[in-house]
Amino acid sequence: MASPVLKAVKYANVSKTFFRDAARCLSTTSALQSPRRPKSGGKNIVLVEGVRTPFLLSGTTYKDLMPHDLARTALKGLLKRTNVNKTDVEYVVFGTVIQEVNTSNVAREASLGAGFSQKTPAHTVTQACISSNQAMTTGIGLLASGQADAVIAGGVEFMSDVPIRWGRKLRQMALKMNRTKGLQNQLSLLIKTLASKPAFLEIPAVAEFSTGEVMGHSADRLCAAFGISRIEQDEYALRSHSKAFWASEKGLLSDVIPYKVPGVADTVVKDNGIRPSSIEQMSKLKAAFIKPHGTITAANSSFLTDGASACLLMTEEKALELGYKPRAYLREFVYVSQDPKDQLLLGPAYATPKVLERAGLKMSDISVFEFHEAFAGQILANLKAMDSDYFAKNYMNRTEKVGTPDLSKFNLWGGSLSIGHPFGATGVRLVTTAANRLIDEDGQYALVAACAAGGIGHGMIVERYPQ
């Protein structure tokens, strides 16, 4: 009888070539170069502090707000945490994915709402799940080039209320109606449009435009290609929730700022998606995407989340001038991209060796790993790809594998599967958590990596600031 994984291969329509090659990525060994200090690229850029609102399941406590409310709250929380003078902040940049049309430049609206001067520029970037990573590196560029000495970078996502449009034919009709004179002519236009059987609504889909596949479908295909079982995914998801629960109870998630939501009696003080369960309970859930034999379920996937994050970045010189003791240096970073079908979620596997090489480090030099968890299977597939000489040589044009991160250093305070994943805000959470863990665990270097829609990915080296 065919195994569930082989059944999933059949139903997922995995590329035969990629499946064959992925199967050859399951065992190999190699060595890497000796370490040297990462290049600072001229000016030292530091993370002074990072904060975030509690990350909440969409449709819960934040449901009646707007994205700029969350972003404004993150900015105010950062101002309170750092006591920075707003006039010292020269630029604000935020990431987001699904934009609210009324506040399309949410960075500007949030900064004005938080009390920043009208003369403080602000703009919004979008790069799928690494949008706030892009916000941070945009800020780094401004600082490194001398355009600014202090920048706030952040991100926000609000999945409780996404823009739903009329269908295109109805939109076109509405625009023509404005130019059409006379009730009879307007009625004629309406009847003609309705006779064409237009789509009445267009709802944003979490799907790839180029392939038409939702990300969960791609994750199922990736798990089938790398032979990752359902039980492996459920065990990893349980690990994420258990570690996030422990970290939350221990007060380690100190980047969370309280949020008094208008009209809600209790102040929100913690994430509400952290729910340790059991393998037995998780195993009862059915396949969410490729039915009936897929292995991706609601339990081993990240969930739709509302939340915002913000961090204060400065040149080291400016931070010291203002009396701050930074949390970390932000060192080398890279962006990568690959096939958005078979390799949609393999950004970390491609980014990790590249950013280590740029920094002159090897895997054993890294004390803290913070990888974005889109799906448990996505994490496990990346780990297998990173541990394969075959994958390195045939897909990455490298002579040897980078190796697998030490799991005793990997996402020890939970991850996106448990804490939540507001698309535009996760990157700042990853970098802030990496910096906080370096301090808590007395490490020197952290590696942050993430995948994103479109087959893109990001990697960054974070170095602990001397204490």
Side-chain angles (χ1 to χ4, degrees):
M1 182 175 181
S3 71
V5 169
L6 290 179
K7 287 181 179 179
V9 173
K10 176 182 177 182
Y11 283 87
N13 189 28
V14 176
S15 161
K16 293 181 180 179
T17 300
F18 187 72
F19 178 75
R20 179 202 66 204
D21 289 344
R24 300 176 65 176
C25 296
L26 304 183
S27 63
T28 42
T29 58
S30 71
L32 289 170
Q33 299 177 355
S34 58
R36 57 186 173 84
R37 185 178 177 83
K39 302 184 291 291
S40 63
K43 292 184 179 181
N44 282 324
I45 309 303
V46 296
L47 169 71
V48 175
E49 184 61 273
V51 302
R52 62 183 176 88
T53 68
F55 286 178
L56 302 188
L57 290 153
S58 296
T60 58
T61 308
Y62 294 154
K63 61 184 175 62
D64 294 325
L65 301 176
M66 291 180 66
H68 78 284
D69 293 319
L70 297 175
R72 181 185 66 242
T73 300
L75 285 172
K76 285 185 172 181
L78 184 63
L79 292 173
K80 183 176 180 179
R81 179 76 63 88
T82 61
N83 201 33
V84 66
N85 192 320
K86 289 190 285 288
T87 59
D88 286 323
V89 177
E90 298 164 273
Y91 210 100
V92 176
V93 55
F94 259 62
T96 197
V97 178
I98 300 179
Q99 294 184 336
E100 160 62 54
V101 294
N102 291 315
T103 56
S104 57
N105 186 2
V106 70
R108 177 64 169 170
E109 302 303 334
S111 63
L112 290 174
F116 284 88
S117 167
Q118 295 176 350
K119 296 184 180 297
T120 303
H123 80 273
T124 303
V125 297
T126 186
Q127 198 173 14
C129 298
I130 54 174
S131 291
S132 62
N133 306 71
Q134 181 58 251
M136 283 185 289
T137 58
T138 298
I140 290 172
L142 292 169
L143 296 169
S145 64
Q147 294 292 313
D149 289 316
V151 170
I152 288 179
V156 63
E157 209 65 45
F158 190 65
M159 299 302 294
S160 288
D161 180 25
V162 298
I164 298 174
R165 306 191 298 179
W166 291 353
R168 171 167 284 198
K169 288 185 178 180
L170 291 177
R171 297 199 306 271
Q172 291 174 338
M173 179 202 69
L175 292 172
K176 288 180 181 178
M177 195 78 77
N178 285 333
R179 302 189 298 269
T180 302
K181 296 181 179 180
L183 180 60
Q184 185 173 348
N185 291 332
Q186 291 175 339
L187 287 174
S188 176
L189 176 61
L190 175 62
I191 293 169
K192 182 179 179 181
T193 302
L194 293 178
S196 68
K197 298 181 179 179
F200 278 87
L201 295 176
E202 289 182 2
I203 301 174
V206 185
E208 294 295 306
F209 182 81
S210 60
T211 66
E213 290 183 345
V214 297
M215 190 172 283
H217 192 134
S218 297
D220 248 327
R221 296 172 65 252
L222 190 66
C223 290
F226 278 93
I228 298 167
S229 68
R230 165 75 178 270
I231 186 64
E232 287 179 287
Q233 295 172 59
D234 287 351
E235 287 175 346
Y236 183 87
L238 180 59
R239 173 190 189 270
S240 181
H241 280 275
S242 299
K243 289 189 176 297
F245 181 79
W246 172 82
S248 180
E249 292 298 299
K250 290 286 186 181
L252 296 174
L253 304 184
S254 58
D255 56 335
V256 177
I257 55 173
Y259 191 177
K260 182 64 178 74
V261 179
V264 176
D266 296 328
T267 298
V268 183
V269 296
K270 61 170 61 176
D271 311 309
N272 72 356
I274 303 173
R275 297 176 180 178
S277 181
S278 67
I279 293 298
E280 291 72 26
Q281 287 296 109
M282 296 169 74
S283 67
K284 295 177 182 179
L285 296 182
K286 296 181 179 180
F289 300 100
I290 299 179
K291 303 175 182 181
H293 300 299
T295 56
I296 304 294
T297 71
N300 55 42
S301 309
S302 58
F303 47 87
L304 295 180
T305 313
D306 300 334
S309 58
C311 64
L312 179 59
L313 308 180
M314 290 184 176
T315 60
E316 183 180 25
E317 182 180 11
K318 184 67 173 180
L320 297 179
E321 175 192 320
L322 295 179
Y324 289 110
K325 187 173 185 179
R327 305 193 77 76
Y329 292 109
L330 302 186
R331 298 298 192 186
E332 298 293 341
F333 64 86
V334 299
Y335 289 94
V336 296
S337 61
Q338 52 278 339
D339 172 18
K341 186 175 182 181
D342 286 335
Q343 302 185 56
L344 175 70
L345 302 169
L346 290 179
Y350 281 86
T352 294
K354 191 172 181 179
V355 76
L356 285 172
E357 188 175 74
R358 284 181 62 87
L361 296 170
K362 59 184 179 181
M363 194 70 86
S364 60
D365 295 318
I366 305 301
S367 303
V368 165
F369 294 92
E370 283 294 327
F371 279 31
H372 165 48
E373 301 170 345
F375 304 89
Q378 160 257 330
I379 286 290
L380 297 173
N382 275 275
L383 297 183
K384 287 191 176 184
M386 291 163 67
D387 200 35
S388 168
D389 277 326
Y390 182 87
F391 192 88
K393 292 173 182 176
N394 289 275
Y395 285 91
M396 303 173 68
N397 197 30
R398 305 186 69 86
T399 59
E400 57 190 2
K401 68 180 183 181
V402 68
T404 303
D406 183 343
L407 286 185
S408 69
K409 305 175 182 179
F410 192 89
N411 289 15
L412 296 189
W413 295 355
S416 302
L417 289 171
S418 49
I419 292 171
H421 174 39
F423 303 144
T426 288
V428 168
R429 180 193 68 78
L430 291 170
V431 169
T432 302
T433 300
N436 290 342
R437 280 188 56 201
L438 285 173
I439 295 169
D440 185 74
E441 298 167 23
D442 194 25
Q444 184 176 4
Y445 297 120
L447 196 157
V448 172
C451 60
I456 54 180
H458 172 73
M460 177 184 283
I461 298 294
V462 178
E463 181 180 3
R464 180 185 177 189
Y465 197 81
Q467 300 299 299

